[in-house]
Amino acid sequence: TRTVEQFDKVVDSVCPFCGVGCQTTVRVKDDLIVQVDGRDGPANENRLCVKGRFGFDYVRSPDRLTKPLIRRDDAPKCGDINLKGADPLTVFREATWEEALERASSGLTKIRDERGGQAIAGFGSAKGSNEEAYLFQKFIRQGFGTNNVDHCTRLCHASSVAALMEGVGSGAVSAPFNDALKADCIIVIGARPTTNHPVAATYFKQAAKQGRKLVVIDPRKQDLMRHASHSLVFKPGTDVALLNAMLNVIITERLYDEQYIQANVSGFEALKEKVKDFTPEAMEPVCAVPAATIRDVARLYAKSERSIIFWGMGISQHTHGTDNSRCLIAMALITGQIGRPGTGLHPLRGQNNVQGASDAGLIPMVYPDYRSVEDADIRAEFEDLYGRPLDAKRGLTVVEIMDAIHDGEISGMYVMGENPAMSDPDQIHARAALAKLDHLVVQDIFLTETAWHADVVLPASAHAEKLGTYTNTNRQVQLGRPAISLPGDARQDWEIIQDLARACGLDWHYGHVSEVYTEMASVMPSLKNISWDRVEREGSVTYPADGPDVPGNEIIFVNGFPTRDRRGKIVPADLLPPDEVPDEDYPLVLTTGRLLEHWHTGAMTRRAGVLDAIEPEGIASMNPREIERRGMRQGIMVKVETRRGTVEALLRADREVADGMIFMPFCFNESPANVLTNPQLDPFGKIPEFKYCAARIGLADTE
Ligand code: SF4
């Protein structure tokens, strides 16, 4: 315990990791963060998880980039550099900012001028602030006349957003996760909040302790099931079978809200027709959940006064991810379990600012606030503001961009704070694409696996070094404040984007990050009444807000939906198999995800001493029964193989993993799980099927 005098500075900020958006107090001594505590923010009420509390020392890692780097002319342009062993200065040379910006901009403009702006693409980041996301999408759209701009929402909740936009006219949550405490029935499906949204999980546990019914539905067992009234462990990939069976019960037992449907919902008759054969008895052998349990849960959800649904990547990361979400939306719409406290639909957003980055237009089909690039009137408004003709067609998405590089359509990229060399599916293909680019500019705080492929590397700012707004999963716009200084010649991200934009010929003159916010808010109706000053003053404001002094609306869809006819739209879903199912050659199912201690591709948490000490090496987990059946034992090195590649990892026994399954986290670059994953996309959300592919396992060559 330290006394206040022992700190030079105490700064109010927000956690840089997950979408819960915990508010923090950061204590600084000698320009070093020495302690982080939870603050009384609306999302966390003083709580923090292990990442927020102990995962801060990565910012002073000796690996931080402190100088701009330019690739040496004789360095190989390949994707299989031995990342652990290589000395960066054998591949890159240090440069001044002037030279680096000149090299970065001339490479991009040369491609634009010779091949057209469609040959350029940009990946922004859900780790950056709203202002950085807004500037990044503006730079790509204004500077290159293309909508080829995307970020990791494509790998996360893109299918949920596609279904929500279609069904209820907004991709954001309808109620905060803290409303679990007001609900009578809480469904958590395809999510593992104790690992991925730990502070949100504390509210779910608290609600269960207070006697609310908690239903946890997942193909993997999990900690939260210990608190649940109902735990449904179903066969992976059969979400639609299970959910349509629940819809069948609600409809056949007339548990729906007829009045609500008549006033607010379209598509009910088509849903009735679609789910009539999905009886619980018919679906029991498909999803491996007893028919009686399906009936119980459907009745509980529909009959409760207030029911709320939370979901995560287990729903969205499938080739039928949009269909999975459509079923959840249909459940809420036909029962009227939406638009009131303690009810609603809440896709638990992953990254700290994936909600905000999406809202700010860092996606290829829409401008800020999800306004279509294909709508001539909306486009004219942005052309007016940006002073240039803009692209009239949707841009390519993350995985499509990698394919377009292989096809020779894209040859230049600007990547800010994303790590597609680790996060994209079919990693060998993704890294080969990065290596094939004529020009790659990477802006980051570390020499990530992606940055190793770059022609120019621009050293950027960590979360604890910058000022900006972040929007959490609850739609709360919160202020992150700088606590420590930038290392070496590293610079603020928004300033780097501006300097690069200027070097590419754009006339930008932002003097402060608040000016970027003000321009962004002027084109985002959702931020009306939420000025920079207000966010600075209040620290957290929920959007939408009805007035500059009125608290934001935590619950939306109270009086209809923001669709053309103000009605919610049901889109019935069919049961489709995963893209790649087990067979004789690959008899197991591989699923991927995160660990409590590590964040996404591990760039930050693998460099956080406490966190990496707890989970220091790449693992593949299987049920102990399955391990024994194969004559293996925990702790040996195994090789996991799919049709895309082979990865070695340490075998871990885990009772939560079902028989016939392998689970691998994707944060370890020594055991890169995404070498194995299937890049096949959901047709609507364009999200790859990270949660399911056919695999086999054997002893590693080294074992
Ligand atoms: Fe940070 Fe999320 Fe943990 Fe809160 S729950 S401390 S936001 S990682």
Side-chain angles (χ1 to χ4, degrees):
T1 309
R2 292 168 185 262
T3 58
V4 173
E5 297 75 46
Q6 284 177 285
F7 306 110
D8 299 332
K9 229 200 272 181
V10 177
V11 178
D12 286 345
S13 195
V14 288
C15 174
F17 291 107
C18 89
V20 169
C22 294
Q23 291 197 357
T24 56
T25 300
V26 182
R27 300 178 202 279
V28 177
K29 179 77 181 164
D30 298 332
D31 209 20
L32 283 176
I33 300 174
V34 290
Q35 190 175 321
V36 176
D37 298 306
R39 203 155 47 93
D40 193 13
N44 64 315
E45 297 174 296
N46 300 310
R47 310 169 199 198
L48 282 187
C49 80
V50 67
K51 287 188 286 284
R53 194 175 293 282
F54 298 114
F56 53 78
D57 51 335
Y58 72 90
V59 291
R60 283 291 184 257
S61 160
D63 294 349
R64 275 296 294 271
L65 292 168
T66 56
K67 294 238 183 266
L69 301 173
I70 291 180
R71 189 171 211 89
R72 290 182 185 278
D73 292 338
D74 57 353
K77 192 88 195 271
C78 68
D80 59 359
I81 292 162
N82 179 352
L83 300 173
K84 283 202 129 177
D87 173 359
L89 291 180
T90 61
V91 177
F92 302 97
R93 64 177 173 79
E94 292 181 348
T96 62
W97 270 103
E98 235 180 3
E99 190 191 1
L101 285 168
E102 200 288 317
R103 184 70 76 96
S105 59
S106 60
L108 293 173
T109 50
K110 182 169 183 278
I111 292 168
R112 177 192 66 192
D113 298 343
E114 288 176 0
R115 304 196 49 208
Q118 298 300 338
I120 299 286
F123 287 170
S125 174
K127 273 269 154 280
S129 66
N130 288 325
E131 296 74 29
E132 290 159 3
Y134 174 78
L135 280 190
F136 191 91
Q137 65 84 36
K138 179 176 175 179
F139 174 46
I140 298 294
R141 291 189 156 116
Q142 186 188 31
F144 303 98
T146 176
N147 289 312
N148 293 336
V149 59
D150 207 354
H151 75 295
C152 67
T153 191
R154 197 64 44 211
L155 310 174
C156 162
H157 264 305
S159 49
S160 309
V161 171
L164 286 164
M165 291 297 290
E166 164 193 86
V168 295
S170 163
V173 302
S174 74
F177 63 76
N178 319 65
D179 256 32
L181 295 175
K182 296 178 187 157
D184 301 298
C185 166
I186 303 149
I187 290 186
V188 177
I189 179 166
R192 210 174 168 81
T194 51
T195 300
N196 300 319
H197 303 85
V199 166
T202 65
Y203 287 87
F204 304 156
K205 292 182 209 169
Q206 196 177 335
K209 270 197 171 154
Q210 291 173 358
R212 284 94 193 350
K213 299 289 184 202
L214 174 63
V215 181
V216 182
I217 308 175
D218 202 83
R220 267 201 297 156
K221 289 183 187 158
Q222 55 172 289
D223 281 353
L224 199 59
M225 287 178 175
R226 288 192 285 122
H227 304 262
S229 56
H230 299 73
S231 298
L232 280 60
V233 179
F234 70 104
K235 214 164 142 193
T238 64
D239 314 61
V240 169
L242 175 62
L243 296 171
N244 271 357
M246 287 170 64
L247 286 162
N248 173 289
V249 174
I250 294 168
I251 291 172
T252 53
E253 298 188 10
R254 301 186 71 83
L255 303 176
Y256 50 87
D257 184 336
E258 198 147 8
Q259 250 184 334
Y260 185 85
I261 295 171
Q262 271 184 12
N264 297 293
V265 181
S266 341
F268 183 54
E269 290 308 317
L271 179 74
K272 253 180 166 173
E273 182 59 26
K274 175 66 73 185
V275 303
K276 71 178 188 324
D277 297 329
F278 284 80
T279 62
E281 289 69 23
M283 291 303 109
E284 176 176 327
V286 179
C287 61
V289 177
T293 309
I294 298 174
R295 285 190 189 283
D296 276 357
V297 171
R299 288 170 186 153
L300 175 67
Y301 175 79
K303 286 182 175 175
S304 293
E305 178 62 27
R306 294 173 298 258
S307 292
I308 189 165
I309 303 174
F310 297 95
W311 74 95
M313 309 290 90
I315 284 288
S316 61
Q317 289 178 335
H318 287 281
T319 46
H320 50 265
T322 304
D323 283 340
N324 293 347
S325 305
R326 284 170 171 158
C327 294
L328 298 174
I329 294 164
M331 275 175 58
L333 288 180
I334 66 168
T335 53
Q337 296 284 18
I338 193 161
R340 294 176 286 120
T343 68
L345 294 164
H346 190 125
L348 286 157
R349 307 308 303 257
Q351 295 269 12
N352 60 332
N353 199 38
V354 68
Q355 182 66 60
S358 304
D359 295 346
L362 206 52
I363 25 187
M365 41 299 262
V366 290
Y367 298 121
D369 249 2
Y370 307 94
R371 302 169 73 205
S372 173
V373 297
E374 292 168 311
D375 182 310
D377 292 340
I378 295 171
R379 196 168 56 252
E381 190 188 315
F382 279 90
E383 285 176 340
D384 227 27
L385 179 69
Y386 293 173
R388 292 197 174 195
L390 298 176
D391 189 6
K393 63 176 193 316
R394 294 165 167 232
L396 298 174
T397 58
V398 165
V399 177
E400 290 172 334
I401 285 169
M402 292 299 162
D403 292 339
I405 298 169
H406 281 290
D407 294 345
E409 290 165 28
I410 287 178
S411 52
M413 271 194 88
Y414 175 25
V415 178
M416 176 189 75
E418 290 258 299
N419 194 6
M422 281 289 285
S423 59
D424 275 24
D426 192 2
Q427 204 172 91
I428 293 170
H429 176 82
R431 289 187 184 198
L434 293 171
K436 198 175 172 200
L437 285 166
D438 289 340
H439 191 64
L440 173 62
V441 179
V442 174
Q443 177 175 324
D444 213 307
I445 61 173
F446 296 117
L447 200 59
T448 60
E449 291 76 6
T450 301
W452 275 98
H453 298 77
D455 296 279
V456 183
V457 182
L458 306 173
S461 45
H463 181 276
E465 295 151 2
K466 60 179 143 191
L467 178 67
T469 62
Y470 301 83
T471 307
N472 70 358
T473 189
N474 283 349
R475 290 182 272 107
Q476 286 151 346
V477 184
Q478 311 200 95
L479 199 65
R481 294 182 176 88
I484 55 173
S485 62
L486 286 158
D489 293 344
R491 296 185 58 198
Q492 295 291 336
D493 287 81
W494 75 268
E495 290 178 343
I496 302 172
I497 305 168
Q498 168 154 282
D499 281 353
L500 195 53
R502 281 180 177 160
C504 289
L506 299 179
D507 188 24
W508 287 15
H509 297 283
Y510 301 101
H512 188 264
V513 69
S514 60
E515 293 172 21
V516 182
Y517 179 92
T518 302
E519 179 181 312
M520 175 181 73
S522 75
V523 291
M524 292 178 65
S526 64
L527 295 181
K528 192 174 169 213
N529 298 316
I530 305 180
S531 64
W532 173 269
D533 288 350
R534 182 175 180 184
V535 179
E536 211 171 30
R537 196 172 56 246
E538 298 180 22
S540 175
V541 187
T542 302
Y543 78 76
D546 296 334
D549 304 314
V550 182
N553 296 304
E554 290 193 346
I555 309 295
I556 53 174
F557 312 146
V558 177
N559 297 307
F561 299 94
T563 52
R564 276 186 208 283
D565 59 3
R566 307 287 304 160
R567 297 173 78 83
K569 180 178 160 193
I570 295 172
V571 180
D574 258 324
L575 176 59
L576 299 169
D579 178 65
E580 189 185 74
V581 292
D583 56 20
E584 245 175 52
D585 291 337
Y586 296 92
L588 298 165
V589 174
L590 171 71
T591 190
T592 64
R594 286 169 279 184
L595 295 173
L596 170 62
E597 291 78 7
H598 285 303
W599 188 251
H600 281 226
T601 67
M604 294 153 71
T605 52
R606 298 283 330 262
R607 294 174 171 96
V610 171
L611 302 179
D612 201 50
I614 301 173
E615 283 288 2
E617 47 205 347
I619 53 162
S621 301
M622 286 181 94
N623 192 287
R625 279 189 304 265
E626 190 76 57
I627 292 177
E628 203 185 320
R629 247 198 308 274
R630 288 163 189 279
M632 295 176 167
R633 62 187 158 76
Q634 165 158 255
I636 60 170
M637 286 300 285
V638 289
K639 62 177 177 194
V640 182
E641 291 177 283
T642 68
R643 291 190 170 83
R644 288 151 294 282
T646 303
V647 169
E648 293 196 356
L650 203 67
L651 184 61
R652 177 178 288 180
D654 184 347
R655 286 192 169 75
E656 293 182 346
V657 182
D659 289 339
M661 273 182 95
I662 308 168
F663 166 74
M664 289 184 77
F666 60 92
C667 56
F668 296 104
N669 65 13
E670 64 273 36
S671 303
N674 278 324
V675 163
L676 306 167
T677 46
N678 186 357
Q680 198 60 38
L681 303 180
D682 170 280
F684 307 98
K686 308 280 184 185
I687 191 169
E689 192 148 61
F690 287 118
K691 287 288 184 252
Y692 196 112
C693 70
R696 64 185 173 214
I697 195 163
L699 286 183
D701 298 338
T702 49
E703 191 60 41

